[in-house]
Amino acid sequence: MTTTIKLEEKVKTKGQEVAEELKIYFRERGIYVINLIGSPGSGKTSLLESLAPDLRGRTAVIEGDLQTDKDKLRIERAGLPAYQLNTLGACHLDAKMIRQAVDEFSLEGAKILFIENVGNLVCPASFVIGEDVKVAVVSVTEGDDKPAKYPTAIRVSSAMVITKMDLLPYTDCHVDQMEADAHAINPQMKIFKTSMKTGEGMKEFLAWIEESAAAK
Amino acid sequence: MHELAFAEEIFHCVEREARRHNAVKIRRVRLQVGQYSGVDPASLSFCLEAISAGTIMDGAAIEMMESRPEWICSTCGGFPGDSEALSACPNCGGALEYSAATDLRVQEIELDDDDNQT
Ligand SMILES: Nc1nc2c(ncn2[C@@H]2O[C@H](COP(=O)(O)OP(=O)(O)O)[C@@H](O)[C@H]2O)c(=O)[nH]1
Ligand SMILES: [Mg+2]
Ligand SMILES: [Zn+2]
């Protein structure tokens, strides 16, 4: 006999389950977790280096790259404790890698944890890794069409940091267009226009981080 | 990206139900794929077909319906439907929240059970 079973069951991958465990882990320790996503070279590591002096003593960083510990070393030089994950080819970090990192890396005293994801504006957008928020990092030199072309990254991110504003005069990038496209996809998105060279917009971004972390 | 991981979990879910109902064959699996689940339907189909080969799910029809974001009531969980114009839940007056359709769900499974056993 043919029977129809009604289920309405939500399917969770192992990764999503681990991400939920991590969220609890971070919540119990009062650590606010920011998952930084963006193309290679968009300025994710530079952004963290610029924030380091203000966040020192209460912030830790997990770095994700295919290979090398170059970014970890940069972050340590900037004065923050850092742990390097190497995905050896995988295009994004997953929750299991983060669990491994927090097992080995002391988050003692950290109130804020940044996770710099693998440089990629596509895949990291589809994975939760225990974060409170995702922040998309997009530089003006990538072109103003990127928010429209990579809508998933924009939709899942609470904020977008537009970097390299100091280079704007040398590009055809229309920042207004970037903002309009991003807001069409994600009306609540906070947008910060920044430069690591001039410091533009960094006070505002820092204030947003502090405010969001304090609300946790 | 993670379609294979989802396909495996769907398979486990179907297999569990099959055992529970003494099924001998799975005829149909109906899935609801959230528009923002990050799951690509074509790739999920491919993965499901690959892992169900030679199993009880071999040859089952896989139906996927896309679910779109909608308003849900934060108090009673009801779906007031097309409620752009509403400011509160018509059932209980609760605040409405936007649900982003990020889930993947197994809606229903159609199976043949073992007549001889029952
Ligand atoms: N002019 C300028 N260059 C920047 C800025 N931010 C980053 N860069 C440069 O962009 C390059 C890539 O930066 P990096 O932080 O390594 O990018 P990541 O791959 O996203 O971590 C480096 O050469 C940085 O010096 C900025 O605001 N202005
Ligand atoms: Mg980097
Ligand atoms: Zn209600």
Side-chain angles (χ1 to χ4, degrees):
Chain A
M1 202 181 63
T2 301
T3 320
T4 302
I5 317 290
K6 283 236 181 280
L7 272 182
E8 298 274 349
E9 180 171 321
K10 183 172 170 179
V11 182
K12 274 190 230 157
T13 62
K14 290 279 176 302
Q16 288 174 317
E17 275 167 24
V18 175
E20 283 174 15
E21 289 164 22
L22 281 169
K23 268 198 98 115
I24 295 168
Y25 177 95
F26 292 133
R27 193 186 308 129
E28 283 171 355
R29 287 160 182 77
I31 302 172
Y32 187 72
V33 183
I34 300 173
N35 179 0
L36 278 187
I37 64 176
S39 313
S42 56
K44 299 177 294 299
T45 312
S46 305
L47 186 66
L48 294 176
E49 288 171 326
S50 299
L51 291 168
D54 291 304
L55 294 178
R56 198 169 290 168
R58 55 199 166 107
T59 304
V61 179
I62 294 174
E63 282 291 339
D65 279 297
L66 271 66
Q67 295 280 3
T68 82
D69 59 355
K70 286 176 186 289
D71 279 3
K72 163 192 146 80
L73 296 175
R74 280 174 62 185
I75 297 299
E76 284 176 346
R77 273 198 297 276
L80 300 180
Y83 182 91
Q84 183 77 50
L85 282 169
N86 281 144
T87 63
L88 308 175
C91 51
H92 60 273
L93 294 175
D94 67 36
K96 283 176 248 175
M97 299 177 198
I98 303 301
R99 187 168 61 188
Q100 178 217 320
V102 301
D103 283 347
E104 292 180 11
F105 177 44
S106 166
L107 294 174
E108 201 64 44
K111 289 288 152 215
I112 299 172
L113 172 65
F114 282 98
I115 303 173
E116 180 182 339
N117 220 308
V118 177
N120 179 340
L121 202 47
V122 185
C123 312
S126 302
F127 293 83
V128 283
I129 53 178
E131 73 270 24
D132 291 285
V133 288
K134 286 187 176 74
V135 171
V137 179
V138 184
S139 57
V140 299
T141 50
E142 288 165 66
D144 51 24
D145 56 359
K146 294 307 170 290
K149 282 186 176 174
Y150 297 89
T152 307
I154 300 304
R155 186 174 304 117
V156 299
S157 296
S158 304
M160 171 166 74
V161 180
I162 301 175
T163 58
K164 311 193 190 182
M165 284 297 287
D166 57 291
L167 298 180
L168 194 58
Y170 309 101
T171 71
D172 300 324
C173 177
H174 296 93
V175 175
D176 293 351
Q177 187 65 51
M178 269 174 134
E179 290 187 72
D181 288 348
H183 277 148
I185 296 161
N186 179 353
Q188 267 101 43
M189 179 171 243
K190 293 266 185 284
I191 298 180
F192 301 95
K193 296 182 251 184
T194 68
S195 164
M196 305 314 121
K197 296 292 170 200
T198 66
E200 173 184 349
M202 290 305 286
K203 252 210 313 268
E204 291 78 3
F205 182 49
L206 179 66
W208 178 79
I209 294 169
E210 305 266 22
E211 208 175 287
S212 315
K216 181 164 183 173
Chain B
M1 240 76 56
H2 41 168
E3 282 78 3
L4 185 58
F6 274 115
E8 281 167 353
E9 295 308 321
I10 291 166
F11 181 74
H12 289 149
C13 168
V14 171
E15 215 184 18
R16 186 197 66 217
E17 291 304 312
R19 238 178 292 121
R20 184 179 295 169
H21 296 275
N22 294 319
V24 291
K25 175 156 185 53
I26 306 296
R27 291 196 166 269
R28 189 181 305 277
V29 178
R30 185 167 287 150
L31 305 172
Q32 198 183 66
V33 182
Q35 192 181 9
Y36 300 148
S37 61
V39 173
D40 172 49
S43 152
L44 181 63
S45 273
F46 178 82
C47 293
L48 278 171
E49 217 170 284
I51 63 171
S52 49
T55 72
I56 192 167
M57 215 172 108
D58 200 344
I62 307 291
E63 287 177 11
M64 292 191 212
M65 286 179 330
E66 189 182 69
S67 59
R68 296 176 169 280
E70 53 188 330
W71 293 95
I72 60 170
C73 172
S74 59
T75 309
C76 73
F79 290 83
D82 197 14
S83 56
E84 293 285 308
L86 292 175
S87 55
C89 174
N91 304 321
C92 75
L96 296 179
E97 280 176 352
Y98 206 48
S99 141
T102 53
D103 289 358
L104 173 64
R105 285 172 190 274
V106 179
Q107 293 285 88
E108 48 182 56
I109 301 169
E110 202 179 291
L111 48 80
D112 286 348
D113 49 24
D114 188 351
D115 290 324
N116 302 329
Q117 257 187 26
T118 43

